[in-house]
Amino acid sequence: MERTLSIVKPDGVKKNVIGEVIKRFEANGLRPVAMKMMHLSKKDAEGFYAVHSERPFFNDLTDFMSSGPCLVMALEGPDAIKKNRELMGATNPAEADAGTIRADFADSIDNNVVHGSDAPETAAIEISYFFNAMEVCDRV
Ligand code: CMP
């Protein structure tokens, strides 16, 4: 059993695909164990994506992530990090496999509907960035 951090980004919320995204997670063995709707400040987004602070897209990325509400979730399941990344598809929707979330709903690499952790260490850091221990619920 593993946990990962998932975000339905502001473009996904605007497109009303929150339910569709969660449906795909639940149908594929990923159960939400924490969830909240948040409108990130520019500083919140900069802190979350600090690992990308030297990248040329950092300013656009953090502007976009603070442009509207997003849904932040912790998901739990067998091999959750890899499974979530499979369901999301490639970062650039033009390269995403057919049937993935990004292939189906994303417009561009900047507006790519979902974020998912890329490794166990980052998943732990990202979950604790948004949720304290009491907000993450064991599923029975
Ligand atoms: P995400 O998985 O949230 O992680 C960082 C985000 O930066 C990524 O999705 C993309 O939306 C965005 N981004 C923009 N340009 C690039 C790029 N060249 N490489 C990786 N990520 C990019």
Side-chain angles (χ1 to χ4, degrees):
M1 209 49 103
E2 190 174 62
R3 286 178 178 171
T4 190
L5 193 277
S6 168
I7 303 177
V8 181
K9 296 185 179 186
D11 56 332
V13 173
K14 279 199 189 89
K15 287 181 174 182
N16 294 310
V17 296
I18 288 174
E20 182 61 38
V21 170
I22 294 174
K23 183 175 159 193
R24 291 178 186 211
F25 292 153
E26 290 190 313
N28 287 279
L30 295 179
R31 304 191 299 183
V33 290
M35 192 181 284
K36 58 181 141 183
M37 186 76 92
M38 306 180 78
H39 190 148
L40 303 183
S41 67
K42 176 85 170 166
K43 278 209 177 334
D44 294 333
E46 287 171 348
F48 181 71
Y49 280 116
V51 66
H52 293 307
S53 62
E54 302 303 320
R55 308 286 291 273
F57 55 82
F58 184 65
N59 190 51
D60 286 347
L61 171 63
T62 53
D63 273 351
F64 167 64
M65 289 301 290
S66 55
S67 68
C70 56
L71 182 75
V72 185
M73 286 174 279
L75 304 174
E76 182 177 86
D79 228 357
I81 295 166
K82 182 161 167 258
K83 174 56 71 180
N84 183 32
R85 294 178 72 78
E86 283 170 11
L87 295 171
M88 290 192 299
T91 306
N92 184 349
E95 295 164 8
D97 289 341
T100 60
I101 293 167
R102 285 170 171 154
D104 288 348
F105 304 118
D107 293 329
S108 67
I109 193 167
D110 297 301
N111 289 223
N112 65 354
V113 174
V114 278
H115 167 83
S117 309
D118 63 1
E121 302 73 35
T122 41
I125 292 166
E126 290 181 357
I127 290 169
S128 65
Y129 190 76
F130 290 115
F131 299 105
N132 66 39
M134 266 195 301
E135 293 173 313
V136 181
C137 303
D138 288 328
R139 298 282 298 257
V140 289

